[in-house]
Amino acid sequence: MIIQLSDDYLPEEVLHRDNQIKIIKDIFKNFKKMGMGTNMLILGVTGSGKTTIVKKVIDEENNAIYVCCSETQTPYKTIKKIFNLNISTHEQLLNKTIEKLKEDPKILIIDEIDKIKNFTQLMNSLNTIYRKTMNPIIIITPKRNILEEMPTDARKTLFFEKITLPSYNAKELKDILKSRLKTMNLEIKIGEGTINYISAIASRQGSARVLMNITLKCLQKNNFTQEFIESIYDTMMKEDWMDFVNDINETEKTFLKILLEKCSHKNEVVSETLQKEMGGLSSARISQLINTFERYSVVISRHENLGRAGGRRRFIKFASQEIFDELIKRMGYGN
């Protein structure tokens, strides 16, 4: 693999993220100065540069511990990874970790926290660590509703400042790709038109990861036709849909199933209908589910005031016919 196109590559210059890098650097500076700092939640779609900007700051400031939950999977392994401690029980491990962080304070950075199997337990553990040490904690995830899923005490104590990285546009992706290509000693030269086309395709998701994956596949096959570029993108999107369907929980799957059965892209369903069909879940929980899928851009909703007789009601439908069709295909539901 060409390292400059891999996820692990840390470029000398991180483009179009100066403001976000400055905010994160300020946390490190305040921690060095005062021994305390703001807790941070970093959000953004896959490929928006979340991990890259954090690793860039770590590389320059050298005062943090980085753990990725896609590698650790469980709260115990995540806490264990902080200092690579060999302790058998979670409670003993937590106490020893707190002790070591008091001796040698570090900023804790927990990446891909949405991949953890027991999210509540991990957040409670991080809450305990923060209460005992006051070391700043930075968590990174593409999951926009992550705060809603946190235990109340952890959310209120940690009080995360939030940074949302915007998706890259085509021009920004072109700058990033050209910057990477300059560092590579390629026998194959990629023309300006091809760079423009790859950047335009990747901008559909706003993702540098999509950009790099398409470029890598083109180089491997020495094929830069528009048809081939489109085929790579289509394959990646199918894989993303499978990840999306596999990652949502059973309640969310049931919600989507009912929505698929009750409406189509063109037809709306009222939130009270979803509440009734889901066995009497609270209106607050139904609203939370709607908000979750609205953030995923799967559904759109609108409120309508029907006066005293009808009250205020919320209508929901799928964001596009393409999304509706894809969910039918992926989940096997619908009318």
Side-chain angles (χ1 to χ4, degrees):
M1 179 179 286
I2 301 168
I3 188 66
Q4 289 92 335
L5 300 178
S6 72
D7 287 344
D8 293 332
Y9 180 70
L10 189 61
E12 285 291 322
E13 183 182 11
V14 179
L15 301 176
H16 304 295
R17 291 293 183 252
D18 291 348
N19 186 52
Q20 292 86 356
I21 289 173
K22 181 184 181 305
I23 292 170
I24 297 167
K25 278 188 174 182
D26 285 344
I27 294 174
F28 279 75
K29 287 174 184 174
N30 290 337
F31 185 56
K32 283 180 181 178
K33 241 185 238 181
M34 300 178 283
M36 59 187 295
T38 306
N39 296 321
M40 178 71 65
L41 167 61
I42 302 177
L43 297 168
V45 299
T46 300
S48 59
K50 302 182 299 295
T51 300
T52 300
I53 64 173
V54 167
K55 285 187 173 180
K56 189 67 175 175
V57 175
I58 293 172
D59 189 53
E60 294 175 1
E61 301 292 337
N62 194 30
N63 193 29
I65 297 170
Y66 173 89
V67 180
C68 185
C69 292
S70 64
E71 299 170 2
T72 57
Q73 298 282 311
T74 68
Y76 172 78
K77 289 181 181 177
T78 302
I79 302 301
K80 182 179 180 180
K81 182 81 171 178
I82 294 172
F83 286 110
N84 292 314
L85 297 171
N86 189 20
I87 297 173
S88 58
T89 71
H90 187 85
E91 185 178 357
Q92 291 173 334
L93 177 65
L94 195 57
N95 289 334
K96 188 62 178 177
T97 299
I98 289 167
E99 181 185 316
K100 289 182 75 67
L101 283 169
K102 285 180 176 178
E103 292 171 0
D104 185 18
K106 300 280 186 184
I107 293 175
L108 293 183
I109 299 171
I110 313 297
D111 200 355
E112 296 192 64
I113 200 165
D114 50 288
K115 299 293 175 65
I116 208 74
K117 288 182 179 175
N118 190 332
F119 177 69
T120 297
Q121 185 184 17
L122 178 59
M123 289 311 306
N124 285 334
S125 297
L126 293 176
N127 188 25
T128 300
I129 290 171
Y130 181 71
R131 284 179 180 273
K132 298 288 187 181
T133 67
M134 297 304 289
N135 290 6
I137 296 172
I138 297 173
I139 64 173
I140 307 170
T141 178
K143 197 169 186 178
R144 291 180 177 271
N145 66 326
I146 200 82
L147 288 173
E148 297 170 13
E149 298 183 3
M150 285 184 191
T152 302
D153 185 58
R155 185 178 70 251
K156 289 184 176 180
T157 301
L158 293 167
F159 195 63
F160 288 101
E161 181 179 330
K162 186 164 65 172
I163 296 180
T164 302
L165 275 65
S167 301
Y168 292 112
N169 61 38
K171 182 184 180 305
E172 291 168 338
L173 289 168
K174 179 181 175 181
D175 292 342
I176 292 167
L177 181 54
K178 292 184 82 168
S179 175
R180 296 284 181 97
L181 292 173
K182 278 182 184 177
T183 67
M184 297 161 59
N185 185 20
L186 292 175
E187 293 182 7
I188 302 169
K189 297 301 177 185
I190 303 178
E192 189 76 10
T194 300
I195 291 172
N196 288 337
Y197 195 74
I198 292 173
S199 302
I201 295 295
S203 71
R204 295 175 186 174
Q205 296 296 311
S207 169
R209 181 174 295 177
V210 171
L211 179 82
M212 299 307 163
N213 284 341
I214 292 174
T215 306
L216 179 62
K217 293 289 185 185
C218 288
L219 286 167
Q220 288 173 335
K221 298 293 184 179
N222 193 18
N223 188 340
F224 299 92
T225 64
Q226 293 185 4
E227 292 78 11
F228 184 64
I229 292 167
E230 287 277 4
S231 72
I232 299 168
Y233 178 80
D234 289 344
T235 300
M236 292 174 67
M237 292 310 100
K238 287 175 184 174
E239 291 172 355
D240 284 351
W241 268 106
M242 287 306 299
D243 289 342
F244 168 76
V245 171
N246 291 335
D247 284 348
I248 60 178
N249 61 40
E250 288 306 314
T251 301
E252 291 169 336
K253 284 179 182 178
T254 301
F255 175 88
L256 278 182
K257 176 188 177 204
I258 292 167
L259 196 57
L260 285 164
E261 290 172 345
K262 293 295 176 184
C263 70
S264 66
H265 165 45
K266 293 182 180 179
N267 300 323
E268 296 178 315
V269 64
V270 70
S271 60
E272 287 86 352
T273 300
L274 296 172
Q275 185 178 1
K276 181 181 177 182
E277 291 289 331
M278 292 196 71
L281 283 184
S282 70
S283 58
R285 180 63 178 130
I286 294 297
S287 180
Q288 186 182 66
L289 287 165
I290 296 168
N291 290 341
T292 295
F293 287 107
E294 203 159 29
R295 291 188 189 98
Y296 286 140
S297 297
V298 170
V299 304
I300 54 177
S301 70
R302 65 180 180 87
H303 290 89
E304 186 174 323
N305 194 337
L306 302 177
R308 291 183 181 179
R312 185 171 168 81
R313 308 183 82 183
R314 191 174 187 182
F315 295 85
I316 306 98
K317 67 176 183 177
F318 286 97
S320 70
Q321 185 66 49
E322 289 76 18
I323 286 172
F324 177 83
D325 293 342
E326 198 65 40
L327 283 170
I328 292 289
K329 188 193 307 180
R330 298 292 166 191
M331 301 183 73
Y333 298 142
N335 34 358

